[in-house]
Amino acid sequence: MWRLAVKDPSSWDQTAKVWKGFEKAYELLGHEQSVWAVIAIDPSQFLTGSADNTIKLWHQNKAVKTFTGHTQAVRGLALIPEIGFASCANDGTIRVWTMEGDIVHILSGHTSFVYSLAVTSRGDIISGGEDRTVRIWRDGECVQSIVHPAISVWAVSTLPNTDIVTGCSDGLVRVFSRVEERWASDEEVRNFEVDVAAHAVPAPTVGGVKVNTLPGMDALITPGLKSGDVKMINNRGVGEVYQWDGIRHKWEKVGNLTDAPGTSNKQTFEGKQYDYVFDVDIQEGAPSLKLPYNITENPYTAAQRFLERNDLPMHFLDQVVSFIQKSAESVTLGSSATAPSDPFTGASRYQASQGAPASSGDFMDPFTGASRYRVPSVSSLPAPLSTAEPWSGASRPANNAAAAASPQTQSAAKLPVHTPHLFLQANIPAMQAKLHQFNDLLRQEISASSAALYNRDLSYLDDMFSFLTKISATPPTQPNFPVTPNHIEVLIHLLIKWPSAQRFPVLDLSRLIIAHAPESYAEPEFTTRFFNALFEGAEWSQPWTPLPLPKFRETNILLLFRALANAFKDDSTIGDGAWIKLIFEKIQQAPYAAFTKPQTRMTLSTIYFNMSCRGVREQLDPGLRSALLALVLSVLQNETEDAETAYRALVALGNIVYAAKQFNSPLQPTQESSARAVLNTLPATFAADVRVRNLSQDILALL
């Protein structure tokens, strides 16, 4: 007997495995992110669905077709006889496909993630998801929607007699039947309907309108157009939600209309609304970090996301969770704010009693010590900056533990800020495994085999990982060999020759080598070659339209910026400054609007901030200072959305102005005029951020 299985329930290693007689027969390699859905067509053909938004058809261990169309992670697959198969995804849609890749239907109706699919013997498609409903689809239309008294419907299945089985976040399994003889008693059915009606429905789910503007109960006289239609009613001052049941031809009450938690006082962070956005001060005078949190999400998920995005050590996880739990108001949605969440993404509402669940999402940043390595999200904030004593040269490192345990009121940095931020954390074994995986794939492709590494070059690659493992250990150990230009030649080869979508671990490895082994590329001409290759690895010379850029290119640009930020460490050698001029000239070639992700722009600001720290410690060449100032002002003039990006550029401007006074090298009149103009308008652009206002005033006082 053949069985299709994944390595673990969510296949974080991006593979599926086929087992025969309890022995592995095939390993299916090709997805770029986790495999979340698998199904066997026959003993030699299989379908897999992945968080990379694709579905793959396999013949034995070879991918013979890739199905694209979903815009978010694929969660479920089901075979449909004589047609092909159906897929569901986090984008809220169900797609029906032929095996040749043609779309038969796109089924829309769910209002959130769709987790599971099943097909009855009659050919009806059954779906369940995060919107509390199970939906029955026939010939491309939703013929019935069954609301559950739970937050999520995680699993659906069918029995040979066509009955439907559902598993929900309330821990119950329910069976629904078309045959009246198998129905539950009238009392059990009434209790179920009462439970459904008792569930509160957050206003934004159904429009967020005011109760006094809703129609009265007489509006229920008009039948719905199709199953699943929703109508909000003002029943004597109480907002109620009804859903049309096309089978029973009646409106069923599915809940009361309530404000979503914190709706009246939502806060915006990176274009999304949250119940809370806490300001976390790393240390007095250091730029604050933002910790967004919704009361309906797992505090461990929010805490891990915060640590990952800010490049902070994971051992502070429990401290951050404790802060969230103590600071956030207690608000209950539905039956409980601690109801279980989607067990695969952690994206909903599971309250762990102890320890931290494995958090995930469509994209996880792998650079912070997480247990798996894949294409990183462009949603990673820079780590905290260190600060100096006000108006002195004495700097001290940021206290991460204090920051995690005791977030404080936000405050502006005290100028000058001396210590640059470096991106140093990484899951080195996972990075190494990913590079070897990509290399093995290239070696198997005749057309791409020349780009792969062999023998000596492969040993150079492993040398670098051995070096980084030793130097990154706790406590660090001295490597018994250096990283040499020969090793950098391997990186240059990979940056130029490997397919763009597979360069992200190479750029990430370069980030660490730049931070820990700058002497390996110190020779000026070699430095220029290496940095040119880094830009080529991010396809810097390619067109910047249309926007947004492909996801893999956005990722590579983010990693390029992290690598460049690491080049400005305390002991880096400026030399003749040619490599810095190269970086500035390259960056100037790209339109600022091309960086559509706030985190990419924030990392760009970190490059400028790091360079400004050098300018505080030693006087910069006038040409370099002018180029840096122009780039900083460009950010401050163009950034209108993300306060953190603007704030980091503002700190860089403060360092430049401070250094101008310190070294008695005043700015040119036109430069000072441009700086004043920005400083006078920026506080209005980011009126909600007191740090921007206070620091702008401090810099104006220095001019």
Side-chain angles (χ1 to χ4, degrees):
M1 177 184 294
W2 294 83
R3 293 190 182 276
L4 183 67
V6 293
K7 186 174 181 181
D8 59 61
S10 52
S11 183
W12 293 117
D13 65 358
Q14 306 175 8
T15 73
K17 293 177 171 60
V18 181
W19 305 84
K20 183 180 181 182
F22 301 102
E23 297 291 333
K24 185 173 69 175
Y26 307 122
E27 184 171 22
L28 311 185
L29 300 171
H31 282 296
E32 296 181 357
Q33 295 190 46
S34 303
V35 178
W36 283 354
V38 293
I39 196 167
I41 302 171
D42 57 41
S44 61
Q45 293 190 98
F46 323 107
L47 286 167
T48 58
S50 170
D52 64 11
N53 308 344
T54 70
I55 303 156
K56 290 185 182 291
L57 172 64
W58 305 81
H59 181 72
Q60 296 181 348
N61 64 341
K62 183 177 181 180
V64 296
K65 191 168 191 63
T66 299
F67 303 82
T68 60
H70 284 295
T71 59
Q72 294 186 39
V74 178
R75 305 303 299 273
L77 298 167
L79 295 177
I80 304 178
E82 301 181 3
I83 294 179
F85 67 96
S87 61
C88 63
N90 281 359
D91 59 14
T93 69
I94 300 152
R95 291 175 178 255
V96 179
W97 312 75
T98 67
M99 289 299 180
E100 290 71 37
D102 297 321
I103 291 286
V104 179
H105 296 297
I106 299 178
L107 310 179
S108 299
H110 282 283
T111 59
S112 189
F113 301 161
V114 187
Y115 293 142
S116 182
L117 292 176
V119 177
T120 69
S121 57
R122 296 170 41 133
D124 292 346
I125 297 173
I126 316 300
S127 61
E130 180 77 1
D131 61 359
R132 305 196 299 156
T133 70
V134 167
R135 296 176 188 254
I136 297 95
W137 308 83
R138 185 177 302 142
D139 299 326
E141 296 291 335
C142 180
V143 297
Q144 188 176 1
S145 179
I146 305 173
V147 180
H148 283 58
I151 292 174
S152 307
V153 179
W154 284 344
V156 296
S157 187
T158 59
L159 301 176
N161 61 9
T162 73
D163 286 356
I164 298 169
V165 184
T166 67
C168 297
S169 58
D170 59 2
L172 296 180
V173 174
R174 298 177 175 88
V175 180
F176 298 84
S177 180
R178 300 175 63 251
V179 180
E180 188 171 353
E181 289 77 13
R182 293 199 291 274
W183 287 359
S185 67
D186 290 344
E187 181 180 359
E188 288 178 299
V189 172
R190 281 195 300 271
N191 289 339
F192 175 79
E193 292 175 345
V194 168
D195 287 344
V196 170
H199 257 58
V201 179
T205 303
V206 286
V209 298
K210 296 180 179 179
V211 172
N212 59 12
T213 66
L214 299 176
M217 295 295 290
D218 55 352
L220 299 179
I221 298 174
T222 305
L225 298 177
K226 63 181 185 300
S227 286
D229 281 355
V230 172
K231 184 169 289 189
M232 293 174 287
I233 298 297
N234 180 355
N235 185 6
R236 299 178 181 179
V238 177
E240 297 179 341
V241 184
Y242 290 79
Q243 181 170 277
W244 180 250
D245 187 333
I247 301 295
R248 302 168 68 181
H249 205 71
K250 61 179 292 189
W251 289 100
E252 294 282 357
K253 183 182 176 184
V254 296
N256 292 323
L257 186 64
T258 67
D259 278 340
T263 297
S264 61
N265 192 30
K266 286 282 190 179
Q267 300 182 58
T268 301
F269 177 69
E270 294 182 359
K272 298 180 181 179
Q273 287 194 324
Y274 293 88
D275 297 318
Y276 303 96
V277 179
F278 301 116
D279 288 299
V280 181
D281 269 3
I282 301 306
Q283 182 179 337
E284 182 181 357
S288 300
L289 303 176
K290 300 291 186 182
L291 196 170
Y293 175 66
N294 284 316
I295 61 94
T296 55
E297 71 176 320
N298 173 13
Y300 277 97
T301 300
Q304 185 168 348
R305 182 179 64 229
F306 169 76
L307 294 175
E308 288 169 349
R309 287 180 173 178
N310 291 281
D311 206 27
L312 293 169
M314 280 295 153
H315 59 260
F316 295 126
L317 184 66
D318 288 337
Q319 292 172 294
V320 178
V321 170
S322 176
F323 163 73
I324 292 173
Q325 291 173 330
K326 291 177 181 178
S327 301
E329 297 173 359
S330 176
V331 184
T332 300
L333 173 64
S335 59
S336 171
T338 60
S341 77
D342 164 20
F344 296 107
T345 67
S348 190
R349 291 161 284 273
Y350 175 79
Q351 175 67 55
S353 58
Q354 60 181 354
S359 172
S360 69
D362 286 346
F363 300 96
M364 173 168 288
D365 189 336
F367 319 116
T368 56
S371 60
R372 50 196 174 274
Y373 187 94
R374 50 189 178 140
V375 178
S377 165
V378 289
S379 59
S380 300
L381 307 181
L385 306 179
S386 300
T387 61
E389 292 291 342
W391 313 109
S392 78
S395 64
R396 55 183 186 271
N399 186 332
N400 294 338
S406 305
Q408 304 292 332
T409 305
Q410 63 182 3
S411 58
K414 302 295 192 298
L415 297 174
V417 180
H418 290 80
T419 307
H421 163 71
L422 302 179
F423 297 93
L424 299 178
Q425 289 187 295
N427 187 337
I428 294 173
M431 188 190 305
Q432 185 175 14
K434 177 57 63 180
L435 276 163
H436 276 279
Q437 177 192 342
F438 284 167
N439 194 63
D440 290 344
L441 291 173
L442 291 173
R443 292 173 71 165
Q444 295 170 17
E445 294 289 337
I446 296 176
S447 61
S449 59
S450 62
L453 299 181
Y454 300 87
N455 303 328
R456 185 183 63 179
D457 287 343
L458 201 55
S459 68
Y460 281 141
L461 180 68
D462 289 334
D463 284 348
M464 287 186 278
F465 283 110
S466 178
F467 175 91
L468 292 171
T469 299
K470 289 179 178 293
I471 206 165
S472 301
T474 305
T477 58
Q478 184 61 36
N480 51 15
F481 58 86
V483 178
T484 69
N486 289 331
H487 297 89
I488 304 302
E489 287 287 2
V490 172
L491 292 178
I492 292 173
H493 168 85
L494 298 178
L495 289 166
I496 295 174
K497 297 295 186 181
W498 271 24
S500 299
Q502 295 176 329
R503 292 174 184 168
F504 68 89
V506 186
L507 284 158
D508 201 25
L509 175 58
S510 301
R511 164 182 68 92
L512 298 179
I513 294 298
I514 287 172
H516 293 295
E519 67 282 353
S520 61
Y521 60 90
E523 197 276 324
E525 291 186 4
F526 200 69
T527 303
T528 300
R529 281 189 59 220
F530 185 28
F531 281 97
N532 270 320
L534 288 168
F535 279 99
E536 187 168 345
E539 296 184 299
W540 203 258
S541 61
Q542 295 300 308
W544 294 98
T545 54
L547 296 176
L549 301 173
K551 189 165 295 183
F552 70 84
R553 191 175 174 196
E554 288 182 336
T555 297
N556 290 344
I557 290 173
L558 172 66
L559 296 180
L560 166 68
F561 286 172
R562 288 181 170 181
L564 298 179
N566 281 1
F568 296 101
K569 58 186 300 187
D570 287 342
D571 57 352
S572 60
T573 302
I574 291 181
D576 61 3
W579 62 276
I580 301 176
K581 293 175 184 176
L582 168 68
I583 291 173
F584 289 172
E585 289 172 359
K586 290 283 189 181
I587 292 175
Q588 286 174 333
Q589 295 170 5
Y592 190 76
F595 310 131
T596 56
K597 301 295 185 182
Q599 298 77 17
T600 304
R601 303 197 300 273
M602 192 182 302
T603 309
L604 179 63
S605 283
T606 304
I607 297 174
Y608 303 154
F609 163 76
N610 286 359
M611 181 61 185
S612 76
C613 293
R614 290 301 301 263
V616 171
R617 295 192 302 273
E618 60 181 283
Q619 187 171 4
L620 297 179
D621 171 84
L624 281 181
R625 189 186 74 172
S626 294
L628 174 62
L629 178 59
L631 290 169
V632 169
L633 290 175
S634 176
V635 171
L636 296 174
Q637 290 162 353
N638 288 283
E639 184 58 53
T640 59
E641 298 176 356
D642 186 65
E644 292 295 327
T645 298
Y647 182 64
R648 292 188 181 274
L650 190 61
V651 177
L653 177 59
N655 274 350
I656 294 170
V657 173
Y658 179 90
K661 281 190 170 294
Q662 176 181 341
F663 295 112
N664 194 26
S665 177
L667 303 181
Q668 298 174 7
T670 54
Q671 294 173 331
E672 181 176 335
S673 175
S674 297
R676 286 185 181 277
V678 164
L679 294 168
N680 285 321
T681 59
L682 200 65
T685 304
F686 299 100
D689 197 313
V690 67
R691 302 168 306 160
V692 171
R693 181 179 69 250
N694 292 344
L695 187 56
S696 295
Q697 293 172 352
D698 290 345
I699 299 172
L700 280 169
L702 285 173
L703 284 171

